[in-house]
Amino acid sequence: MCFILLHEFNISTNFKVFPFKWYHLMQASNDLSLGKSSFQWQNLSWRFRSTSATERALQYQAGQKISGFTVKEVVTVPDLFLTAVKLTHDNTGAQYLHAARDDKNNLFSVQLRTTPMDNTGVPHILEHTVLCGSEKYPCRDPFFKMLNRSLSTFMNAFTASDFTMYPFSTQNGKDFQNLLSVYLDAVFFPCLRELDFWQEGWRLENENPTDPTSPLVFKGVVFNEMKGAFSDNERVYAQHLQNKLYPDHTYGVVSGGEPLAIPDLSWEQLKHFHATHYHPSNARFFTYGDLPLEQHLKQIQEEALSKFERTEPDTAVPNQPHWDRPREDHVTCSPDAMAPDAAKQNTLCMSYLLGDNGFEEERIEALLHKIEIQMKHQSTSFGLSLASYIASCWNHDGDPVQLLKISDSVAQFRQALKDNPRFLQEKVLHYFKDNTHRLTLSMSPDEAYLEKQVKAEEEKLQKKVQALSESDKKDIYEKGLELLSVQSKIQDASCLPALKVSDIEPTIAVTPVEMGTAGGVPVQYCEQPTNGMVYFRAMCSLNTLPEDLKLYVPLFCSVITKMGCGGLDYRQQAQQMELKTGGMSISTSVNPDYSNMDMYEQGVLLSSSCLERNLPDMFHLWSDIFNSPHFDDEERLRVLVMMSAQELANGISYSGHMYAMTRAARSLTPTGELQETFGGMEQVKFMKRIAEMPDLTQVLRTLPRIKRHILNPLNMRCAVNSTPQKMSDAAGQLDNFMSNVASNKKDRKPVRSDITERLLDPLAAPGSGPSRKLITEPNFKPCQMKTFFPMPFPINFVSECIRTVPFTHEDYASLNILSRVMTAKYLHREIREKGGAYGGGARVGGGLFTFYSYRDPNSVQTLSTFRKSVDWVRSGQFTQQDIDEAKLSVFSAVDSPVAPSNKGMGRFLSGITDELKQAHRERLFAVTDKSLVDVAGRYLGIGQRTCGVAILGPENDTIKKDPSWVVK
C-alpha cells in the first residue's frame, strides 16, 4: 500500500509505475459536491446480503464460450464477498472483468488506454465530445439528457493521464440496459460533429456571437475548465511533478489540456485520436453487481463488439529511462497559497522515516488494521471504488484479479517482514535515499502570476487573430451564429431510452430505530448489517457557547483530535486512533428545522467507527478527549493552523461555487448566516488571520473555553449503528463512556432564551423522550445583499439564492421539481453550452432556491441568465415529458442507496422521519405544470423574492463601479 505512493514520486529500474490525475466531465449526480475525486483504492468497502450472485458466477468454467467471449478465469474473493470472472472477447481481444456480488447498485465501466503526446488535451476534449451524440442516438448531448431519463446512482466520465473511463451505476435492471446502450454507442460510434468540438473543446468566436464587430475571444467548455483547474495551486504542483519526473512520454504532457495549448488542437486531430484509441482491442470492460453476466455480454456483443475486428493498438507506454543523478526544478503559483515551513515539515518526515525506529511494530499493525477496516466498511459505491482501484494496473496489462486478493497481499507482506526485519528500511533506501531518479520540486507564490497568465493568453489570442483574413473572420462569425442557432433549438430526444414515473417505487423503505438513554443522554439505536463494525455519533449543542467564540469552533473541531489527550502525545494519539478505530472526527453541524426557516439546531458532530472487538478502546479514546485534551503545545497548534488555512485557501478554486452559494445565503436565513461563519469565506479570512499571528497563546487559551461548553454530556445526544447481536454490548460501552465523562457535566445556561425542543420520536408524549434543541430567531430580518470577492483566478463562480419555504411546506416539492426542470431544460443550455461554463444549474434546500455556475467565463451575464430562466418557466415553455424527466432525476437522488452505517442518520440530524419523507414523496408525484408556473411566480418572480448574490472571480470593473455591490 505504501509503495504505490512511493513509486508515484520515484522511479526504480525494476518498477514501472503510472501515476495519474482525474479530469471530470461533470459530477453528474444530483448533489453539488463537485469536489475532488474520492475514488481512491483505500475506499474499498462492501455490502453483504446473500450469496446468490456469487454462487451463480461460480458456475462458469474456464474455456466456456458466452456471446463471443471466452471465460479465462473464475476466482472467489472471500475478502470482498465476490466472485471474479475474467473473460476475453474472441474477435477483438477486448478484456472483460465481472465482479459478481450481492449488491443491487450495479455498475458498468469501459476504459480505453489513451496516451497523448502533446498538451492540447485531446483525450479530455474527446471524452466530452463523444457524449454529444452518436449514430444510434444522434440528438445533441444524450449524456446529460439521460440524467433526467434514468434512475442512475452515478453517471460520469473521467480522463486520466493514460486512460479514459466511462462509468455508470443504477439499481434498476431496465435502466442498466438503457444506459449501457447509450454508453456503448457514445464510446464506439460517436458523431464527433465539428460544432460539438467547438462547443466542448475550443473555438474563436466574437465575444457577442450576434455582433461581428465585437472582439474575437477564446471560448469552450474544456478551455474554461482547465483555466479553472490551473488556478488550483496543488493541482499545478502535482501536474508539474508528474511532467518533470516522467518527461519522455505521455506523462510528460497534460492529458487534460494546458489552457494555452488547447487552441492548437484541430477537429481532424480529435477524430484521428478516436480512430486510433477508441477500439475494443484497446478497451477494458468492467461490470459489477447482482445482475446476470450473460445479459451484459449479449448486449455488448450485439450493440458494439460484433461490428469490429481485432487491431494492434499502438498505445503502450515504454519505461521511463532512469536518471543517473537527481534533478531539481521550480514552479510558481498564485499568491496566498503557500503555508510557511512546508519544506521543513517534509524534511522532518523523511528523517523520521529513515531512522532505525521509523517502522515500529505497532505502527505497522495500525496500517494493517486500516486495511481491515476498509474491507469491513460498507459503502454504497463499492463498484465504482473497485473500478477505480483496478484501473491503473489493468490499464498496463496487470492482473486485476490479483489486486482484489488483499488478504494474500497482507500475508505476503507479513512474511517478508518476518524473513527480513529490515525489509521496509531497505525499500526506503532503494526507492528513496539511493534512488538517483529523484526530483526535488519547489514552489513559490508570484504576485504577478495571474497577470502573466492573462498576458500569455492575450498574446496567444492576438497571434491567432492576426493570422486571419477578413474572409476568415466572416467565416468565424457565421459559424458562431450556426452554433448559437443549434444550441437554441429545442432538441428531439425521443430516440433516447427512458424510464417512466410509474417505474418509481411509490413508497419508501422504512428504517426502524429505537430511542433510549445512556447515562441520562438520549440515544438513537439503529440495528443494521454493519459487518462487524460499530458506528458512533454524538451531537453536542452550541446553545451555551458565547457568540464571540463561534468563529473559533471550526478550528476547535479540526485540532481537538490531533493535539494529544490523556497520557498520549499527538503522534501516539494518531497511532492509537489508526490501531483501534476507523477514524475519529469532530465537525460543525448546522441543521435547519424542517418546518420553520427561522429555527435551527447548532452543534458539533462527533463521528467514529471501529471493529466490534475494539469498542472499549474507541470509547476510551473519546473519554480522554473529553476529560484531558492537550492544549499546551503551541508548535503543534501552529502546524495544524497552517495546514487548515492552506487547505481552505487552496480549496476555493475547486469549490468556489460552494463558497458563492454559502455567501449568497448568508443574509436570507439564520442557518445561512451561521453556515457562512463556520464554512464560508468569513471562515477562510479568519483562518488566514490566525495563521499570520506570531503568537498563538490567545488561541490556546480559547480552546479550553470552547471545550467546556461543547464536550458537555448535558448538551449531547447520541446515535449508534450496529448489528443486532452487538447492540447490547455497544449500549453498555456507551453507558460506561458516559459515566467516565460525567465530570464534564455542567448545567450552563443557554446564551439565548428562545429555544424550542422538538422530539426525535414524534409519537412520544411531550417531555417523555429525547429531543433536538432548536434556536429560534424571531427578530431575524432577511435582506438583499450582493457580494463580490476578487480572486487570483481567471474564471468565476456565481450564485443567487432566494428565500422560499421549508421542507414540510406544500410548495417545497414543486420547487424541487422546478429546480430540475430549469437546470436540464434551460440553465444547462444557456450557462454551459452557450456560455462556456463547466457547469451550472439550480437546487433547493434549507428553505432556499439557489442558482449557481461553476468555472464560468461570465459573471453578471450569468445573473441575467438566472433571471431569464424564471421568465422561461412562467411562460410555460416546458412539456409533461420535461416534468416527468425532472421527477426521475429528483427521485434518483431521493432513492439513492444508503449504507448501513448511515441508516437513520437523516432522522438523527434533521429530525425528518420516514413519515415526513413519505408525505414529501407523495407531493413530488403530485407536481403538475400549473404548480410549477405558480411557485415560479410566487417565489422567484421579480418583486416577490428576497435574494442574496455572490460572485468569486477575477477583477471586475463593472461590479466595482456598481454601488449596489459590496466588494471584499
Side-chain angles (χ1 to χ4, degrees):
M1 160 174 131
C2 294
F3 295 153
I4 293 175
L5 297 176
L6 302 185
H7 294 164
E8 193 165 328
F9 300 96
N10 295 269
I11 295 182
S12 161
T13 51
N14 300 326
F15 283 80
K16 179 178 178 181
V17 181
F18 307 90
F20 63 89
K21 292 190 68 64
W22 293 106
Y23 298 95
H24 295 243
L25 169 65
M26 182 169 179
Q27 187 72 17
S29 56
N30 286 306
D31 68 23
L32 294 171
S33 54
L34 283 154
K36 293 181 180 176
S37 172
S38 59
F39 328 130
Q40 298 170 1
W41 80 273
Q42 291 95 330
N43 290 344
L44 283 177
S45 52
W46 67 18
R47 179 197 297 182
F48 174 62
R49 295 201 312 274
S50 67
T51 56
S52 57
T54 55
E55 287 179 351
R56 197 163 56 238
L58 284 172
Q59 298 174 7
Y60 299 117
Q61 301 290 326
Q64 184 177 350
K65 303 284 187 179
I66 313 172
S67 297
F69 288 84
T70 299
V71 177
K72 295 297 183 181
E73 187 180 8
V74 180
V75 180
T76 58
V77 185
D79 288 344
L80 307 177
F81 278 74
L82 61 81
T83 299
V85 183
K86 192 157 61 170
L87 310 96
T88 303
H89 188 249
D90 299 334
N91 282 357
T92 66
Q95 300 179 46
Y96 196 113
L97 179 66
H98 177 65
R101 197 161 178 272
D102 293 291
D103 186 343
K104 65 178 182 179
N105 194 23
N106 289 264
L107 176 126
F108 164 85
S109 81
V110 56
Q111 70 177 66
L112 300 307
R113 186 192 288 160
T114 47
T115 50
M117 296 303 294
D118 60 40
N119 290 320
T120 60
V122 57
H124 186 196
I125 294 172
L126 180 59
E127 170 224 303
H128 280 239
T129 311
V130 300
L131 298 172
C132 289
S134 61
E135 289 182 8
K136 192 173 179 181
Y137 306 109
C139 63
R140 294 191 69 251
D141 220 355
F143 175 83
F144 282 97
K145 288 181 172 62
M146 285 303 295
L147 287 173
N148 304 297
R149 300 170 73 90
S150 84
L151 291 172
S152 65
T153 55
F154 185 85
M155 283 179 66
N156 216 325
F158 309 119
T159 301
S161 292
D162 52 12
F163 67 85
T164 305
M165 177 187 284
Y166 297 86
F168 72 77
S169 61
T170 179
Q171 301 177 89
N172 184 290
K174 179 182 176 184
D175 198 28
F176 189 97
Q177 293 180 12
N178 290 349
L179 290 168
L180 179 57
S181 181
V182 172
Y183 266 61
L184 290 173
D185 211 58
V187 170
F188 295 109
F189 311 106
C191 294
L192 297 183
R193 293 172 288 234
E194 189 174 18
L195 286 178
D196 294 328
F197 169 63
W198 293 344
Q199 173 183 290
E200 296 298 315
W202 78 276
R203 64 188 182 277
L204 268 180
E205 188 176 85
N206 294 99
E207 191 170 43
N208 178 355
T210 61
D211 180 5
T213 65
S214 63
L216 291 172
V217 295
F218 288 131
K219 296 183 181 180
V221 172
V222 171
F223 177 75
N224 288 313
E225 176 192 348
M226 296 312 295
K227 284 175 68 175
F230 276 85
S231 301
D232 181 341
N233 293 306
E234 290 181 349
R235 175 68 161 275
V236 170
Y237 186 87
Q239 187 69 62
H240 276 270
L241 183 66
Q242 176 175 303
N243 294 160
K244 299 298 183 180
L245 192 62
Y246 299 82
D248 292 355
H249 202 265
T250 193
Y251 306 117
V253 305
V254 183
S255 64
E258 201 283 317
L260 294 185
I262 287 174
D264 295 332
L265 180 66
S266 71
W267 179 43
E268 293 298 329
Q269 289 171 323
L270 182 91
K271 292 188 292 183
H272 177 74
F273 194 87
H274 182 273
T276 54
H277 290 77
Y278 278 51
H279 190 282
S281 299
N282 191 41
R284 288 151 182 83
F285 294 86
F286 176 72
T287 49
Y288 162 90
D290 62 3
L291 290 176
L293 171 62
E294 294 93 333
Q295 176 60 42
H296 301 337
L297 298 177
K298 183 174 184 291
Q299 187 174 353
I300 292 170
Q301 165 69 357
E302 291 177 354
E303 297 189 18
L305 302 193
S306 62
K307 302 168 186 178
F308 291 90
E309 295 296 330
R310 187 187 296 260
T311 64
E312 298 297 332
D314 183 20
T315 58
V317 180
N319 280 321
Q320 167 69 43
H322 198 270
W323 298 342
D324 57 7
R325 66 180 186 276
R327 299 181 185 179
E328 295 184 2
D329 212 318
H330 181 77
V331 61
T332 59
C333 65
S334 60
D336 295 329
M338 302 299 293
D341 295 330
K344 180 181 177 183
Q345 292 168 34
N346 290 338
T347 303
L348 290 172
C349 180
M350 182 64 75
S351 300
Y352 175 71
L353 194 62
L354 290 175
D356 289 336
N357 298 319
F359 297 104
E360 301 100 330
E361 184 176 351
E362 194 171 55
R363 177 63 178 157
I364 294 171
E365 289 302 321
L367 292 171
L368 295 177
H369 170 262
K370 192 174 182 180
I371 294 175
E372 183 180 5
I373 287 280
Q374 288 157 357
M375 289 193 294
K376 287 277 188 181
H377 173 70
Q378 305 174 64
S379 82
T380 57
S381 57
F382 178 81
L384 187 59
S385 298
L386 207 60
S388 301
Y389 169 49
I390 65 175
S392 191
C393 176
W394 195 16
N395 190 51
H396 297 282
D397 302 319
D399 185 353
V401 175
Q402 284 301 118
L403 282 179
L404 303 180
K405 298 179 179 178
I406 298 171
S407 288
D408 289 356
S409 298
V410 171
Q412 292 170 15
F413 174 71
R414 287 189 181 279
Q415 187 62 47
L417 282 179
K418 184 178 179 181
D419 294 342
N420 179 8
R422 290 192 55 80
F423 174 77
L424 290 174
Q425 284 88 340
E426 290 176 4
K427 294 299 181 186
V428 170
L429 288 172
H430 181 67
Y431 293 115
F432 278 176
K433 190 176 181 184
D434 297 338
N435 187 357
T436 55
H437 198 117
R438 185 168 68 245
L439 175 68
T440 301
L441 181 64
S442 60
M443 188 180 207
S444 62
D446 180 356
E447 293 295 332
Y449 183 79
L450 182 59
E451 182 182 330
K452 291 176 182 177
Q453 282 188 318
V454 171
K455 183 179 179 182
E457 181 180 332
E458 182 61 27
E459 290 174 351
K460 180 84 173 185
L461 176 64
Q462 291 308 317
K463 186 177 179 181
K464 288 273 187 185
V465 171
Q466 289 167 9
L468 299 173
S469 64
E470 289 303 313
S471 176
D472 293 331
K473 292 178 182 179
K474 182 180 179 182
D475 187 45
I476 286 173
Y477 170 66
E478 290 174 350
K479 285 182 175 179
L481 290 178
E482 181 186 2
L483 177 59
L484 186 62
S485 173
V486 170
Q487 291 170 333
S488 301
K489 285 181 180 176
I490 301 298
Q491 294 293 313
D492 179 8
S494 59
C495 62
L496 289 170
L499 294 181
K500 299 177 181 178
V501 173
S502 58
D503 292 320
I504 302 171
E505 290 291 334
T507 59
I508 64 168
V510 174
T511 301
V513 298
E514 292 186 9
M515 300 300 174
T517 61
V521 173
V523 184
Q524 172 185 291
Y525 297 104
C526 186
E527 295 180 347
Q528 291 292 323
T530 56
N531 194 36
M533 295 283 293
V534 179
Y535 298 88
F536 166 72
R537 280 93 165 189
M539 178 67 79
C540 301
S541 173
L542 295 176
N543 289 351
T544 69
L545 187 74
E547 288 296 320
D548 66 305
L549 298 181
K550 286 282 181 70
L551 264 173
Y552 289 88
V553 171
L555 173 61
F556 173 87
C557 291
S558 69
V559 305
I560 185 65
T561 59
K562 303 182 183 75
M563 293 281 287
C565 61
L568 306 174
D569 64 25
Y570 71 86
R571 292 188 183 90
Q572 293 166 330
Q573 180 187 27
Q575 187 160 305
Q576 284 301 305
M577 286 167 59
E578 280 201 343
L579 189 63
K580 300 298 183 180
T581 79
M584 300 174 67
S585 65
I586 303 183
S587 58
T588 58
S589 181
V590 184
N591 300 300
D593 183 53
Y594 51 73
S595 63
N596 185 333
M597 289 171 55
D598 293 327
M599 292 173 60
Y600 62 94
E601 182 182 32
Q602 55 174 351
V604 300
L605 182 67
L606 282 59
S607 303
S608 65
S609 63
C610 67
L611 298 172
E612 290 174 348
R613 67 175 185 262
N614 291 329
L615 255 176
D617 301 290
M618 180 182 76
F619 280 122
H620 179 73
L621 285 166
W622 276 124
S623 296
D624 281 349
I625 289 172
F626 269 64
N627 294 331
S628 51
H630 295 182
F631 293 128
D632 55 359
D633 188 342
E634 184 176 352
E635 183 179 349
R636 174 61 176 167
L637 178 63
R638 183 169 299 282
V639 170
L640 294 175
V641 165
M642 292 292 186
M643 290 171 60
S644 180
Q646 180 179 347
E647 185 177 331
L648 285 172
N650 289 346
I652 296 174
S653 67
Y654 208 95
S655 302
H657 64 306
M658 301 302 294
Y659 283 104
M661 288 189 284
T662 302
R663 185 68 180 201
R666 179 188 188 184
S667 62
L668 302 181
T669 67
T671 302
E673 188 173 38
L674 189 54
Q675 286 172 335
E676 169 67 14
T677 299
F678 285 165
M681 293 299 291
E682 184 178 353
Q683 183 65 207
V684 175
K685 181 181 178 181
F686 172 74
M687 283 305 300
K688 185 176 185 292
R689 180 167 64 83
I690 296 294
E692 293 170 350
M693 290 172 60
D695 183 356
L696 293 178
T697 305
Q698 178 261 329
V699 178
L700 279 173
R701 285 199 296 262
T702 301
L703 297 178
R705 291 179 60 201
I706 297 174
K707 179 259 178 188
R708 288 193 291 270
H709 288 275
I710 293 181
L711 302 186
N712 180 351
L714 291 180
N715 294 337
M716 287 175 64
R717 55 189 177 84
C718 303
V720 176
N721 284 29
S722 174
T723 58
Q725 298 86 346
K726 199 64 179 177
M727 190 60 83
S728 177
D729 187 24
Q733 293 295 335
L734 179 56
D735 203 63
N736 291 340
F737 164 63
M738 289 304 168
S739 297
N740 291 336
V741 300
S743 62
N744 290 277
K745 288 185 177 180
K746 302 292 181 184
D747 192 8
R748 302 179 187 277
K749 290 185 177 181
V751 175
R752 308 282 295 278
S753 59
D754 41 11
I755 293 179
T756 301
E757 293 199 15
R758 198 180 289 284
L759 291 170
L760 289 174
D761 183 356
L763 300 180
S768 65
S771 62
R772 300 166 64 234
K773 294 179 174 59
L774 305 174
I775 291 285
T776 306
E777 298 277 5
N779 299 319
F780 181 85
K781 301 295 182 185
C783 63
Q784 310 268 19
M785 182 175 288
K786 299 196 294 186
T787 312
F788 175 67
F789 292 90
M791 301 300 296
F793 39 71
I795 38 77
N796 297 279
F797 299 96
V798 185
S799 180
E800 179 176 358
C801 291
I802 302 166
R803 182 177 164 109
T804 55
V805 295
F807 179 79
T808 56
H809 193 281
E810 61 183 5
D811 290 336
Y812 184 85
S814 294
L815 288 165
N816 200 351
I817 299 297
L818 177 63
S819 70
R820 290 306 306 163
V821 171
M822 295 171 79
T823 296
K825 303 303 174 182
Y826 188 88
L827 294 170
H828 174 77
R829 179 180 74 228
E830 298 296 321
I831 295 174
R832 181 182 168 101
E833 293 184 352
K834 293 183 183 179
Y838 187 48
R843 60 175 289 185
V844 170
L848 302 174
F849 193 98
T850 303
F851 296 99
Y852 72 97
S853 71
Y854 183 77
R855 290 183 177 166
D856 190 345
N858 304 304
S859 55
V860 291
Q861 302 96 316
T862 298
L863 292 175
S864 176
T865 299
F866 295 159
R867 288 187 283 273
K868 289 176 181 176
S869 69
V870 178
D871 297 334
W872 174 83
V873 170
R874 297 181 71 181
S875 66
Q877 296 182 49
F878 53 89
T879 66
Q880 184 59 45
Q881 176 65 26
D882 296 336
I883 298 174
D884 290 346
E885 290 180 7
K887 289 182 179 180
L888 284 168
S889 178
V890 168
F891 276 108
S892 72
V894 169
D895 295 337
S896 59
V898 179
S901 59
N902 290 327
K903 290 279 189 179
M905 286 309 298
R907 176 177 185 153
F908 177 74
L909 294 174
S910 68
I912 297 177
T913 63
D914 289 336
E915 292 78 12
L916 290 174
K917 289 180 181 177
Q918 182 60 36
H920 174 61
R921 189 181 194 86
E922 291 166 7
R923 287 193 289 269
L924 287 172
F925 278 119
V927 170
T928 65
D929 56 343
K930 291 182 180 178
S931 64
L932 294 185
V933 173
D934 175 56
V935 295
R938 284 195 289 119
Y939 297 107
L940 309 184
I942 299 293
Q944 304 297 317
R945 59 188 182 179
T946 304
C947 66
V949 175
I951 297 178
L952 282 67
E955 294 288 344
N956 191 310
D957 290 337
T958 301
I959 290 177
K960 284 189 173 182
K961 293 174 183 176
D962 185 341
S964 68
W965 284 88
V966 175
V967 179
K968 291 291 182 179

